[in-house]
Amino acid sequence: MTDKKALPSKSKVVIIGGGIVGCSIAYHLAKQGVKDVVVLERKQLTCGTTWHAAGLVSLLWPTPYLTSLAKYSHELYASLEEETGQATGYRQIGSLSIARNEERLEELKRTSSMASVFGVESEMIDNDRLEELYPGIDTNGVIGALYIEKDGQTNPVDTTMALSKGAKLHGAKVFENVKVEEILTDNGKAVGVQTDQGMITADTVVLAGGLWSRDIAAKIGVDLPLYACEHFYVVTDDMKGLSKRPVLRDFDKGVYFKEDAGKMLVGWFEHNARGCSMDRIAEDFCFDEFPCDLDHIEEYLLRSMETFPALEETGIRTFFNGPESFTPDNLHLLGPTPEVDNFFVACGLNSKGIGAGGGLGKLMADWIINGHPSGDIWECDLRRLNSVQREQSYIEERIPEALGHTYAMHWPFYQYKTARDRIQSPLYDVLKEQGACYGEVAGYERPNWFAKHGAKAEYCYSYKRQNWFDFYAQEHMAVRQNVGIYDISSFGKFEVSGPDALKALQWICAGDLSGETGSLTYTQWLNARGGIEADVTVSRTGKDSFMITTGIGSVYRDWWYLKKNLKGNVQLRDISADYSCLALQGPNARLVLEKVADTDLGADAFVFGTGRYANVAGVTVWLQRLSYVGELGWEIFVPKADSVRVFAELQKAGAEFEISNIGLHAVNSLRLEKGFRHWGHDIGATDNLIQAGLSFAAKPDAGDFIGRDAFIKAKAAGLPDRRIVQFQLKDPEPLLYHNEPIIMDGRIVGYLASGMYGHAVKSAIGMGYVTVADLSADRIKEGHFEIEIAKTRFEAQASLRPFYDPSSSRMKA
């Protein structure tokens, strides 16, 4: 511990929280040359959550980038003792994950395939090998297991102390028993902290306060969607023969086992997790525990005995129950807050803080030093969660379910049951009556598919063809062959107006917005490195007015990006809730719309990529000719109050064509057939326009814009070594979702960012980045490509062009 009297009055970086993540950030900052770093811990290092963690260090994580960070954590923990002289207890003892049904086995195989992209070695083993590696296990009902030889465990307290010691060796200062009472702000920026022992000014403030982070951030107007839950485990009396035993996870029973100094630690993620409000956590909380409710945990204790019968004859030395902080989607909260500049957050570790700590510390240090993260971390960026997902009622409902989902099946298209119906389209009730099965994205309810012929509008999950597969196939083909209508009211819609609107948006957008009123521009917002910060459509609705539309998944992020980068005499309004949006798409779309619209819809009179105000079904709407599915079609922005009426009239007009309701699952498969990108999946802040095949959208001759120099440099460099490629499986049976490895000439060269079934091309399709030097169209044509699904490789056709209508003649007809 550093002497309290040495508390400085100023520091370049102040980190709030002395758990494993706070100490890891300090260690990595100091090691990279940022010596002026201060860590402030309210009580003692590790006393909040870190001290009671199970200490599992897994190489397999739910997303590709997190898997790469986990690999780094292993490398770091293996080297810390030599660097610092502080033992960590790190051991590579391996891990076993067992499957008791075919679907779980497929999930494990798919996860193993994904991990291979990052060089994580794993193997599927049978029960004979399982019993050899884990003597005493009852394999009754087990049909397979995943073995990762290099998985590990570590001592959470010792590892944190090693990181703290390493940080101090490189120049950082660590203070215990210093409580941060307030984060100081000035003109929208964090400028330091007020502690119970004095004020420290700082250039950057980092909040890694675990359980206390939500309350701390709320004082400066930052809502972090965090909620504590009770988390349980037991530690047995001494047991013989446990040394060098792998970590064992029995997902289908919800339990895990870890040898702990000759004892067995048994923990679980229960389906009926208990939330824990902060008023239950005392002000002087330090290495504290909650009472352990035996009735609540009995089910999981009995399950653990079924898996490892020796527990039936073993006493329990410790019953543990302590609070941990979780998020609504079981992924971390990382990065700078949009509300307050120079204020970073690293929390919401969802009981995975030890395994994540090393990698997250490096990631956050890179982010603070360079101004951007060292990889694509959007799935953990705190800006991914919409405002409604930050409300107390939402997090109290959702987070206990999310905790329980940790060991549940991670089904494709899975929908949470709690905290639903928070944001609804004006057409919600109408579409529900017509068979809509809703899914939630960012708190918004959207129709994913429509039940027909008396079927229930409910998911029956599987890794194979789910119960809605045939319904959505019909929707898909209705758009390709006839006409369909779908509700995309969830679009974020921003109005930018004023004398400087064009100039301000031209600086933000890479495209040319100088077209006449009614012009539409598909464009991107770039960062200084040329990475894609947003993928939007800008509609020029008047001389000095524009409407920007973006996806619901990034609406919160994009709103703040606009607010921070708009310059001059402009006004910005969020009009997302003021208008619904209906997409009418398909070869017969013009014939339907002509019945109810008072404007000329002819190919020459209303060309693709233009919009206008018009009267549709007696209502003034903004009508624009655009398509995200690759067909003739229009998007219709309707005042909220008139939405139901206009929708009814469009359905009535389309009755003779048997107009079909279309869900968002079909929209996804349609856009993939057409090769259209989706921000957050196929493109993001670490991808440039050249790599993404979108260089046509940038217009550097139109004027300066953010990232222009980087774009010009990347384009001048010629063929990139990494570029997005589309794939179609030759076998019509397998399904693609995302994260499946891409194999070129026998070597893994990337993974799929998106995948779905292409009903018009009659097989699964996907797209992902291939990293190969000088990857020309000819080389792609000559290469032998495969996609690996659950450890099996399937031949695939690769292309830089869409598999459906590559000339785009249909949507421009």
Side-chain angles (χ1 to χ4, degrees):
M1 184 181 87
T2 304
D3 186 355
K4 294 180 184 178
K5 295 180 181 179
L7 197 69
S9 61
K10 188 180 189 311
S11 180
K12 187 173 184 63
V13 181
V14 168
I15 299 169
I16 305 169
I20 192 165
V21 172
C23 290
S24 182
I25 295 170
Y27 167 83
H28 285 93
L29 283 170
K31 195 168 185 179
Q32 292 187 58
V34 184
K35 310 292 186 183
D36 192 9
V37 177
V38 168
V39 177
L40 301 176
E41 167 52 47
R42 56 184 287 279
K43 293 292 185 179
Q44 293 175 246
L45 296 183
T46 78
C47 75
T49 298
T50 297
W51 73 274
H52 63 71
L56 307 184
V57 189
S58 174
L59 282 163
L60 282 186
W61 284 70
T63 70
Y65 188 65
L66 287 179
T67 298
S68 69
L69 290 181
K71 188 177 180 182
Y72 173 81
S73 289
H74 275 267
E75 295 166 354
L76 174 66
Y77 296 165
S79 64
L80 271 178
E81 182 173 355
E82 181 179 352
E83 178 184 351
T84 67
Q86 167 71 52
T88 63
Y90 173 78
R91 293 185 296 153
Q92 283 191 322
I93 40 78
S95 74
L96 294 159
S97 299
I98 62 178
R100 297 182 178 274
N101 55 67
E102 292 294 339
E103 296 282 15
R104 177 70 74 180
L105 189 61
E106 175 155 357
E107 178 175 291
L108 292 177
K109 288 179 178 179
R110 283 178 174 267
T111 304
S112 175
S113 288
M114 183 271 287
S116 66
V117 174
F118 298 96
V120 175
E121 298 178 1
S122 62
E123 60 177 312
M124 304 305 300
I125 61 174
D126 60 18
N127 284 357
D128 289 340
R129 177 70 168 141
L130 176 59
E131 291 173 351
E132 177 186 331
L133 289 167
Y134 212 91
I137 188 174
D138 185 346
T139 57
N140 183 42
V142 177
I143 64 171
L146 172 65
Y147 176 47
I148 305 175
E149 183 180 6
K150 294 183 179 179
D151 256 1
Q153 64 183 52
T154 197
N155 182 299
V157 173
D158 290 344
T159 303
T160 304
M161 293 304 180
L163 288 165
S164 172
K165 186 174 182 179
K168 289 184 283 187
L169 287 172
H170 291 291
K173 298 176 181 179
V174 179
F175 296 87
E176 295 181 301
N177 297 305
V178 178
K179 181 183 177 182
V180 173
E181 297 178 331
E182 183 183 0
I183 296 170
L184 304 175
T185 63
D186 181 37
N187 196 28
K189 296 180 180 180
V191 295
V193 296
Q194 178 67 51
T195 79
D196 58 356
Q197 297 174 38
M199 182 177 71
I200 306 176
T201 61
D203 297 332
T204 301
V205 177
V206 183
L207 177 59
L211 301 167
W212 295 269
S213 295
R214 179 170 173 81
D215 288 350
I216 293 171
K219 293 179 180 179
I220 58 170
V222 176
D223 290 326
L224 298 179
L226 290 168
Y227 190 56
C229 291
E230 297 182 22
H231 192 56
F232 302 82
Y233 61 73
V234 299
V235 181
T236 70
D237 290 333
D238 289 332
M239 299 180 71
K240 294 181 180 180
L242 294 185
S243 62
K244 296 184 179 179
R245 186 177 291 259
V247 170
L248 174 67
R249 296 179 179 89
D250 191 341
F251 290 118
D252 296 307
K253 291 185 182 294
V255 297
Y256 63 87
F257 306 79
K258 187 199 83 165
E259 182 271 328
D260 186 15
K263 308 171 186 64
M264 183 70 84
L265 184 153
V266 183
W268 47 84
F269 291 90
E270 67 271 31
H271 60 84
N272 55 340
R274 288 180 169 178
C276 174
S277 59
M278 290 301 293
D279 58 16
R280 291 181 54 198
I281 300 174
E283 171 65 23
D284 60 352
F285 186 98
C286 183
F287 300 110
D288 287 5
E289 301 178 28
F290 291 152
C292 195
D293 184 344
L294 289 178
D295 289 338
H296 182 71
I297 68 173
E298 181 181 22
E299 173 185 0
Y300 291 90
L301 281 175
L302 293 174
R303 291 181 183 186
S304 68
M305 294 174 188
E306 293 169 355
T307 302
F308 191 57
L311 294 175
E312 295 178 4
E313 302 172 358
T314 305
I316 296 177
R317 178 170 298 188
T318 302
F319 288 88
F320 178 80
N321 176 17
E324 294 199 23
S325 187
F326 292 83
T327 66
D329 57 5
N330 252 339
L331 293 168
H332 317 312
L333 295 181
L334 306 174
T337 65
E339 300 92 341
V340 178
D341 290 341
N342 303 337
F343 180 48
F344 284 74
V345 168
C347 54
L349 300 181
N350 304 289
S351 199
K352 304 178 186 71
I354 306 306
L360 294 191
K362 183 179 187 306
L363 168 78
M364 292 299 296
D366 291 343
W367 209 333
I368 293 164
I369 293 170
N370 301 322
H372 58 85
S374 47
D376 182 6
I377 199 64
W378 169 239
E379 67 266 18
C380 293
D381 190 316
L382 60 88
R383 293 170 293 177
R384 73 188 183 276
L385 295 158
N386 206 348
S387 299
V388 71
Q389 296 174 288
R390 301 162 184 268
E391 295 174 358
Q392 191 68 23
S393 62
Y394 183 98
I395 65 173
E396 287 186 13
E397 283 188 43
R398 173 58 59 82
I399 286 176
E401 182 187 3
L403 184 159
H405 191 58
T406 303
Y407 274 14
M409 287 293 298
H410 298 93
W411 299 113
F413 313 106
Y414 177 78
Q415 300 296 322
Y416 284 104
K417 297 179 176 63
T418 56
R420 296 295 298 268
D421 297 331
R422 298 308 172 104
I423 311 175
Q424 296 179 354
S425 159
L427 298 170
Y428 178 88
D429 291 331
V430 172
L431 294 177
K432 188 172 184 179
E433 182 68 24
Q434 295 182 12
C437 183
Y438 280 92
E440 179 220 354
V441 175
Y444 205 112
E445 298 291 332
R446 310 191 308 169
N448 281 343
W449 55 276
F450 286 81
K452 300 177 178 66
H453 316 305
K456 288 186 177 181
E458 298 175 358
Y459 281 90
C460 294
Y461 296 112
S462 171
Y463 272 100
K464 309 302 181 187
R465 285 161 170 73
Q466 296 187 12
N467 61 313
W468 46 269
F469 187 87
D470 290 341
F471 298 146
Y472 116 94
Q474 294 171 33
E475 296 169 23
H476 182 113
M477 294 311 298
V479 173
R480 290 284 181 248
Q481 299 172 347
N482 188 7
V483 62
I485 188 169
Y486 55 92
D487 182 9
I488 44 175
S489 301
S490 59
F491 269 172
K493 303 174 257 319
F494 310 137
E495 180 185 77
V496 178
S497 60
D500 294 333
L502 174 60
K503 181 180 179 181
L505 285 176
Q506 196 69 71
W507 165 244
I508 295 173
C509 300
D512 183 4
L513 308 185
S514 63
E516 298 178 355
T517 296
S519 61
L520 310 180
T521 306
Y522 168 61
T523 187
Q524 288 75 36
W525 302 345
L526 307 183
N527 54 45
R529 307 175 311 283
I532 303 169
E533 291 288 337
D535 185 67
V536 301
T537 297
V538 182
S539 308
R540 189 164 193 177
T541 55
K543 180 178 179 294
D544 295 321
S545 62
F546 297 82
M547 179 176 66
I548 298 168
T549 53
T550 187
I552 182 63
S554 58
V555 67
Y556 186 77
R557 171 196 176 104
D558 293 350
W559 169 257
W560 279 102
Y561 189 92
L562 267 179
K563 285 191 71 171
K564 289 181 180 294
N565 287 286
L566 280 174
K567 300 177 182 179
N569 186 1
V570 294
Q571 293 78 48
L572 172 62
R573 282 202 309 139
D574 185 350
I575 58 173
S576 300
D578 297 343
Y579 298 90
S580 63
C581 184
L582 303 171
L584 186 70
Q585 302 284 326
N588 288 323
R590 180 179 284 120
L591 297 177
V592 173
L593 192 55
E594 283 177 336
K595 292 185 175 185
V596 292
D598 70 349
T599 189
D600 189 346
L601 302 175
D604 295 328
F606 205 141
V607 299
F608 182 81
T610 64
R612 67 184 67 156
Y613 287 105
N615 188 291
V616 173
V619 176
T620 300
V621 305
W622 175 257
L623 187 64
Q624 59 186 35
R625 188 173 168 195
L626 208 61
S627 179
Y628 191 49
V629 295
E631 298 291 345
L632 171 67
W634 281 262
E635 294 173 351
I636 310 165
F637 293 80
V638 185
K640 180 179 179 180
D642 298 309
S643 302
V644 173
R645 172 186 167 189
V646 171
F647 179 73
E649 291 299 315
L650 286 167
Q651 284 197 316
K652 183 178 177 181
E656 70 171 283
F657 302 99
E658 298 182 341
I659 189 172
S660 174
N661 280 323
I662 309 298
L664 274 296
H665 287 336
V667 173
N668 190 37
S669 58
L670 288 159
R671 69 97 182 170
L672 273 168
E673 284 186 336
K674 197 66 186 65
F676 290 149
R677 282 52 163 162
H678 186 288
W679 195 93
H681 291 90
D682 313 306
I683 51 178
T686 59
D687 310 310
N688 67 44
L689 293 174
I690 314 301
Q691 296 168 334
L694 297 174
S695 59
F696 67 88
K699 308 297 180 185
D701 294 340
D704 198 10
F705 55 80
I706 300 170
R708 180 177 179 271
D709 290 346
F711 168 75
I712 292 173
K713 182 178 180 181
K715 192 169 185 179
L719 281 177
D721 291 342
R722 175 180 179 270
R723 63 191 308 188
I724 203 163
V725 179
Q726 294 157 64
F727 298 92
Q728 179 182 349
L729 296 185
K730 294 183 179 180
D731 186 333
E733 286 304 309
L735 299 180
L736 297 173
Y737 299 113
H738 63 280
N739 292 347
E740 294 90 349
I742 301 166
I743 293 91
M744 180 181 181
D745 299 331
R747 183 171 64 91
I748 294 176
V749 293
Y751 60 92
L752 294 185
S754 294
M756 204 73 177
Y757 198 87
H759 296 283
V761 300
K762 296 181 170 42
S763 66
I765 50 177
M767 67 171 72
Y769 289 91
V770 172
T771 302
V772 172
D774 299 321
L775 190 63
S776 64
D778 287 341
R779 189 165 182 193
I780 290 173
K781 186 177 180 179
E782 295 166 0
H784 178 255
F785 285 92
E786 298 168 292
I787 306 297
E788 183 173 306
I789 306 171
K791 308 298 286 186
T792 300
R793 295 182 175 184
F794 296 87
E795 285 192 72
Q797 179 184 350
S799 176
L800 294 175
R801 305 187 71 199
F803 290 108
Y804 179 83
D805 188 27
S807 67
S808 297
S809 60
R810 293 177 67 88
M811 65 182 186
K812 296 179 181 179

